Amino acid sequence: MAVRDVHTRSMHVRQMAVPGAFLVTAERFDDERGTFYEAYREDVLAEALGHPPKVVQTNFSVSHRGVLRGIHGAVVPPGLAKLVTCVRGAVLDAVVDLRAGSPTFGRYEVTVLDHRSRACVYLAEGLGHAFLALEDDTCVQYQCSETYRPRDVITVNPLDPEIGLPFRTPEPPILSPGDAAAPTLREALERGLLPSYQDCLDHRRTPAAGR
């Protein structure tokens, strides 16, 4: 089943500029009681992806304004697909193609996610993720396809000028020591740290990549 945009009464899924990344937006239903919307629909997302999404772990991070997290990815296999939602506050969210040999290697797309937009970003195995917190007490939820394994983590410097993510702030952003010391995309490629595009395609074709 091929990937494609999907639009239903309750949810819209649109492919982003980086193949394997999707913007998922829920339709809001208002009445005198307040608001209701569906934050996650496995069947709708599966129709867009061409395979059932897999969720085995849910994480939350809470960040001060000006905190920059990422660029984080994972080796493939096992890979790490994510569905990222900002449930409080606001972030400038970035998906980056880290797949060596990909036709869109190094390409990124940036989206503003906040608690009002009812939007989230899905990124497939092999893609990298970063975000800049735009407000204090910003909370981000990550629904992950695999459990966290430190040995599988790939980190690329989010301020790499060759990638050129638009994370411009009045003050220097706040990074973890690991993110600040991370290699550039070119350095990670030369060291053989990045997943290959072919490995990502092969991983997605295997039955174990689904449920």
Side-chain angles (χ1 to χ4, degrees):
M1 193 158 73
V3 298
R4 64 190 186 92
D5 293 356
V6 175
H7 301 280
T8 71
R9 178 176 177 271
S10 62
M11 189 165 288
H12 310 285
V13 184
R14 174 182 65 80
Q15 296 183 76
M16 301 174 73
V18 178
F22 294 81
L23 182 67
V24 183
T25 307
E27 192 68 32
R28 192 175 80 176
F29 301 96
D30 298 318
D31 61 22
E32 65 278 4
R33 300 168 297 171
T35 297
F36 173 87
Y37 63 91
E38 296 175 348
Y40 175 74
R41 279 284 298 267
E42 181 181 86
D43 57 338
V44 176
L45 194 54
E47 186 176 354
L49 301 179
H51 60 83
K54 178 183 175 185
V55 177
V56 301
Q57 181 171 329
T58 300
N59 304 323
F60 290 88
S61 67
V62 180
S63 303
H64 303 298
R65 182 176 182 270
V67 165
L68 177 53
R69 298 180 185 262
I71 303 167
H72 299 150
V75 298
V76 178
L80 185 65
K82 297 178 184 177
L83 187 67
V84 180
T85 310
C86 182
V87 298
R88 185 176 65 242
V91 300
L92 192 59
D93 190 87
V95 177
V96 184
D97 193 343
L98 302 182
R99 301 168 295 191
S102 167
T104 55
F105 179 69
R107 181 182 297 180
Y108 67 84
E109 182 165 346
V110 171
T111 307
V112 175
L113 299 179
D114 60 35
H115 66 279
R116 296 171 291 272
S117 66
R118 309 176 312 283
C120 55
V121 170
Y122 175 89
L123 53 150
E125 297 89 348
L127 301 182
H129 177 254
F131 72 80
L132 175 68
L134 303 177
E135 300 177 9
D136 283 330
D137 202 32
T138 288
C139 183
V140 172
Q141 172 186 274
Y142 320 75
Q143 292 173 277
C144 304
S145 65
E146 300 289 341
T147 54
Y148 174 68
R149 287 185 286 267
R151 67 181 182 275
D152 295 335
V153 173
I154 295 170
T155 305
V156 173
N157 196 300
L159 300 178
D160 179 355
E162 285 197 41
I163 300 175
L165 292 174
F167 291 146
R168 303 179 186 89
T169 58
E171 301 293 332
I174 304 165
L175 282 74
S176 72
D179 289 351
T184 65
L185 186 63
R186 183 186 299 272
E187 290 168 342
L189 179 63
E190 292 172 349
R191 296 181 195 174
L193 302 177
L194 303 178
S196 78
Y197 182 60
Q198 188 59 53
D199 283 349
C200 293
L201 294 179
D202 293 343
H203 176 70
R204 180 41 52 201
R205 294 190 187 106
T206 61
R211 291 190 183 281

